[in-house]
Amino acid sequence: MTSGNVVLITGATAGIGRVTALRLARAGHRVFATGRRRDALASLEKEAAGTGLEAFPLDVTDAESIARAVAEVNRRTEGYGLDVLVNNAGYGELGPVETIDEARVRKQYDTNVFGLLAVTKAFVGAMRERGAGRIINVSSVGGRVTFPLMGVYTSTKHAVEALSDALRIELRPFGVRVSVIQPGAIATEFSATALDTVSGLEGSPYAPLASRVDEIEGHFSAIEVGPEVIAAAIERAATSRRPRARYVAPFSAKLVLLLTAILPTSLLDWVYGRLTGLRRHALRPSPSEGALGAS
């Protein structure tokens, strides 16, 4: 067996998960990289040839898939299980809370919250019985700050924060440590996918926002950094003798949290409105226009 920890990472087919899997495997850990896209997993295994990385499918929203993953880990580790579980699988759709279809809301919660919880419950028992282990939940700066057009997504990350806080206290007596990673703007497929959903506003009261997608994307792009920054934070949480409860990265994310804490809510609301175009004159006709239309 490869020296180091036995680590399982969900959502390892792209972005933060993929970069983290490669980083940990090259550092000498035995890494089980999981996800739904078999072609991406095969590509990852090929890139990591010669390391302790092994890949197999895992859909965090499927109970049978989770059970198969547990059995596979136990088989490959001869019943030992995991030292570190990295709950990274997640995605987001942007848009006003009012316009996001209920099925899409539930789908985000199924992956970001219920899937994370199900995978954690499936693997934590062995850690607790052994008296050692790490659970690392990839949240978001949006788990502490709510942004307009990201209400549903950030609500899932607020839930992850609450679950992580409870788990950290509940599992500490059993030697299991829980940490949260709070990424800010990261240059991955996640950002592009999320921003694409903003354009689906035609016919709604928020239709004027569709023309601002490129501008909103520009705001994010200006402060984005590569996923390597987050992979480094995950490695610290996995290997530090005394892991912190929260790791915030990059620096811009720390700045956002600081400003949110010290600025008046009314001022923050104004800033968010300016950045997104969520302003009265931009979304509603003026009284004179309404009167002309009624005559």
Side-chain angles (χ1 to χ4, degrees), residues 8 39 77 97 133 172 184 219 235 245 249 264:
L8 184 140
D39 58 337
T77 64
V97 173
R172 187 182 180 96
H219 294 316
E235 183 178 27

Side-chain angles (χ1 to χ4, degrees), residues 148-209:
L149 306 182
M150 299 179 70
V152 171
Y153 169 70
T154 56
S155 73
T156 68
K157 294 305 185 179
H158 274 66
V160 168
E161 295 284 335
L163 290 170
S164 299
D165 282 344
L167 285 167
R168 187 181 66 253
I169 300 168
E170 293 166 357
L171 294 174
R172 187 182 180 96
F174 300 100
V176 180
R177 306 296 293 271
V178 179
S179 295
V180 172
I181 310 297
Q182 297 176 328
I186 308 298
T188 65
E189 293 179 7
F190 175 93
S191 298
T193 300
L195 285 165
D196 283 347
T197 65
V198 180
S199 61
L201 302 175
E202 292 77 7
S204 81
Y206 303 93
L209 299 181

